[in-house]
């Protein structure tokens, strides 16, 4: 096993899924953002301004999130069915 100096090791940013409480690499999660105007949207770039919450890209988790309201609690705003449908379509287009 070769040793790699600490300077050359890349740090992988980790985030916690608000639905499952698992800590995963940031690239494996979807970021949902609430901006200053109170608008909620899916942030594909991961750099949009606002309060963000990370979720795993699994459709069954999104349907459970509607009932448990974990995502609403994390963003401190009521989330409509339209936003949940946007999240599901994003998962279907980019992750499945």
């Amino acid at each position: 096993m070769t040793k790699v100096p600490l300077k050359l090791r890349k740090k992988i940013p980790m985030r916690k899924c608000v639905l499952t409480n698992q800590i995963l690499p940031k690239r494996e999660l979807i970021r949902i953002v609430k901006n200053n105007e109170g608008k909620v949207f899916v942030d594909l770039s991961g750099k949009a301004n606002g309060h963000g919450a990370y979720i795993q890209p699994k459709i069954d988790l999104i349907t459970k999130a509607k009932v448990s309201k974990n995502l609403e609690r994390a963003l401190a705003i009521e989330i409509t069915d339209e936003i949940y449908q946007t999240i599901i379509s994003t998962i279907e287009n980019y992750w499945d």
Side-chain angles (χ1 to χ4, degrees):
M1 185 170 149
T2 61
K3 292 186 178 180
V4 179
L6 287 176
K7 289 182 182 179
L8 299 178
R9 291 185 196 168
K10 281 197 166 186
K11 182 180 175 187
I12 299 172
M14 304 292 276
R15 299 292 183 266
K16 187 180 207 179
C17 174
V18 297
L19 305 178
T20 63
N21 290 325
Q22 287 182 320
I23 298 175
L24 299 166
K26 183 179 174 182
R27 291 185 180 252
E28 294 180 14
L29 300 170
I30 300 173
R31 184 171 186 243
I32 311 299
V33 178
K34 178 184 83 169
N35 63 8
N36 294 335
E37 291 84 36
K39 182 180 175 187
V40 178
F41 58 94
V42 178
D43 178 23
L44 296 175
S45 69
K47 298 179 180 181
N49 288 334
H51 182 70
Y54 291 87
I55 58 173
Q56 287 185 22
K58 297 179 181 176
I59 295 175
D60 59 330
L61 287 177
I62 304 304
T63 55
K64 290 178 184 177
K66 283 184 188 180
V67 177
S68 66
K69 300 189 179 199
N70 286 348
L71 190 58
E72 291 184 13
R73 265 185 256 121
L75 295 175
I77 194 168
E78 186 175 331
I79 298 177
T80 62
D81 287 335
E82 180 181 313
I83 295 170
Y84 283 115
Q85 286 301 323
T86 304
I87 296 169
I88 290 171
S89 65
T90 303
I91 292 171
E92 290 171 345
N93 292 333
Y94 291 98
W95 273 273
D96 282 343

